[in-house]
Amino acid sequence: MCITAYSLVMGCIWTSVLTIVMRAMQKGKRTFQYFGVSNLVILYLFCIFRMTVPIELPATKVVSVGNLYNIVTYFFTKKIIGGRVYVGYFFLTVWCLGTVIKLFRMIQDYRIAKQTLGVCTMKQQGMECELLKMLQNETGDKRKITIYMTPFEMPMEMGILHPIILLPDREYKERNLYYIMKHEYTHILNRDTTVKLLLNLWGCIFWWNPIAYLLNTDIEDTLELKCDLKAAGGLRYEERAAYLSAILDVIQNTADKEDEISNKGYDGEKIKKRFRCIAQCSDMTKRGTVKYKIYKAAVIMIYIIMFCASYCVVFQSAFEAPAEEVMTEGNVYYLEPENTFLREREGMYEIIYQEKCISVIDEKNAMLMKKDGFEILK
């Protein structure tokens, strides 16, 4: 396993293609619910494997890229800064430096988000804790999930190893509170915080590639729709109406707030889309249904096809040998199956070119020539 300039380029090209495919799935009305941590893990593994493991399949096709490959290679092997640094190493240094800066900013944002807990109050008992315990018992979840009451008007979840639910510090109707808790707990079950982390890391690593930001576009809306679909999937019609009522209650309480956290993600079109999604929720969200299995199998098949396709095409440089070297060299032979054959003699093989022995090779090389169509005579 090794990373070369060629494997790096091919890895970037094919992961960009896979990102576009995942983006199409993320935006699809029937496929967005399958976008999650597993897809991003596949994207990471695909990128690492494609950059480090060279594989030549029987169906691999060589595509000549003319002199473009040579031009690019020449450019990246030029020396700059007083003839001491290769252009390729310079760009690699800029890439790494940009990644470090982006990571530093992401860590800063995380620290700021964590500081918001300083203005929150931990909830250790009460109706909120009882409802959370009931929801965890329904799924058999044994994790410790902490509830905080916040001055903000938008419920949210945080944390990966130690999940946290943040609830606005106000009075609730029990039914509304149940569906609010169910919604935020579903976010935790869907591992949406992990999805955001993986997407942010992906953007940090490939900060120079515009395609790397595709999956992060409207990710909040996708995760909210996916959460609504799962939370309301098993509810009856009147229960869905109550779920919608709880969401509307949260929206109404944030409508007149001016702080950024409370108003994040709410506008008319997005709310209508969420409501339509919940109202039209079907049994396809259940894992045991035929539709779910078909869509899941189709997604897996697409990934397998993409993986194989990435190794079925190899780009190759095209160049011609200098004519003067060919003309001045005395022993240059153009061997073709039509004018050359092999003759076995005493365990070795003679290469007969135009009825003249021009060389003797061992059995291993003879078998290679045989695969290329050269005939072996005894």
Side-chain angles (χ1 to χ4, degrees), residues 301-327:
M301 184 60 64
I302 289 172
Y303 290 155
I304 293 174
I305 292 173
M306 283 291 302
F307 178 79
C308 294
S310 69
Y311 282 102
C312 285
V313 178
V314 175
F315 297 105
Q316 182 172 294
S317 174
F319 59 91
E320 297 180 358
E324 59 273 13
E325 292 187 12
V326 175
M327 295 300 294

Side-chain angles (χ1 to χ4, degrees), residues 67-86:
N67 294 323
L68 176 63
Y69 190 96
N70 295 342
I71 294 172
V72 173
T73 301
Y74 175 75
F75 173 75
F76 281 103
T77 53
K78 285 181 63 177
K79 288 187 177 182
I80 57 176
I81 311 178
R84 298 179 180 179
V85 180
Y86 288 105

Side-chain angles (χ1 to χ4, degrees), residues 29 32-33 224-234 243 277-278 280-282 284-285:
K29 293 181 179 180
F32 74 89
Q33 60 177 314
E224 287 297 330
L225 286 172
K226 181 181 175 182
C227 179
D228 289 334
L229 200 62
K230 185 172 181 178
Y243 182 84
C277 178
I278 297 169
Q280 299 171 2
C281 180
S282 65
M284 68 171 287
T285 59

Side-chain angles (χ1 to χ4, degrees), residues 11-27:
C12 291
I13 291 174
W14 281 105
T15 48
S16 294
V17 174
L18 183 58
T19 299
I20 294 172
V21 171
M22 286 189 174
R23 175 61 177 175
M25 183 185 73
Q26 186 190 50
K27 296 295 289 182

Side-chain angles (χ1 to χ4, degrees), residues 97-308:
L97 183 61
T99 299
V100 171
I101 293 173
K102 295 280 286 186
L103 285 173
F104 179 77
R105 289 180 177 176
M106 191 177 76
I107 294 171
Q108 286 291 98
D109 291 340
Y110 169 76
R111 292 181 62 184
I112 292 172
K114 194 173 181 180
Q115 287 173 1
T116 60
L117 296 179
V119 296
C120 302
T121 305
M122 183 184 297
K123 191 79 173 179
Q124 296 181 334
Q125 58 183 357
M127 186 166 54
E128 296 87 353
C129 298
E130 292 175 4
L131 291 174
L132 176 61
K133 186 176 181 180
M134 182 179 70
L135 290 169
Q136 287 188 272
N137 289 335
E138 290 175 0
T139 59
D141 189 359
K142 302 296 183 181
R143 287 176 295 179
K144 181 182 178 181
I145 301 176
T146 308
I147 299 176
Y148 283 89
M149 309 306 292
T150 78
F152 309 113
E153 290 298 328
M154 187 181 75
M156 64 186 79
E157 90 292 341
M158 294 174 61
I160 296 176
L161 299 178
H162 305 288
I164 296 171
I165 293 178
L166 304 178
L167 289 176
D169 190 4
R170 61 183 180 85
E171 294 294 326
Y172 294 93
K173 295 178 182 179
E174 183 175 354
R175 195 170 191 182
N176 279 2
L177 180 60
Y178 170 75
Y179 287 117
I180 291 172
M181 292 294 298
K182 184 178 179 68
H183 179 86
E184 298 306 322
Y185 180 61
T186 303
H187 274 304
I188 294 174
L189 291 179
N190 287 345
R191 297 178 291 178
D192 289 341
T193 304
T194 305
V195 170
K196 295 175 187 177
L197 175 64
L198 291 174
L199 284 175
N200 287 333
L201 284 175
W202 189 254
C204 290
I205 296 171
F206 294 99
W207 57 268
W208 49 268
N209 187 358
I211 296 177
Y213 298 94
L214 277 179
L215 296 179
N216 224 344
T217 306
D218 300 328
I219 186 60
E220 293 284 352
D221 300 333
T222 300
L223 296 180
E224 287 297 330
L225 286 172
K226 181 181 175 182
C227 179
D228 289 334
L229 200 62
K230 185 172 181 178
L235 301 180
R236 298 188 299 272
Y237 181 79
E238 60 274 12
E239 291 174 328
R240 292 182 194 174
Y243 182 84
L244 289 172
S245 177
I247 293 178
L248 189 60
D249 180 60
V250 172
I251 294 171
Q252 288 174 340
N253 279 281
T254 60
D256 56 350
K257 300 294 179 180
E258 295 182 357
D259 62 273
E260 182 181 352
I261 295 180
S262 294
N263 281 312
K264 186 178 180 182
Y266 290 114
D267 65 54
E269 288 303 318
K270 293 178 181 179
I271 294 169
K272 289 178 183 178
K273 189 174 181 179
R274 287 183 64 182
F275 276 35
R276 283 196 300 267
C277 178
I278 297 169
Q280 299 171 2
C281 180
S282 65
D283 290 337
M284 68 171 287
T285 59
K286 297 180 180 179
R287 292 179 178 271
T289 61
V290 175
K291 284 185 177 180
Y292 180 92
K293 292 178 180 179
I294 292 174
Y295 277 108
K296 199 69 175 178
V299 170
I300 294 173
M301 184 60 64
I302 289 172
Y303 290 155
I304 293 174
I305 292 173
M306 283 291 302
F307 178 79
C308 294

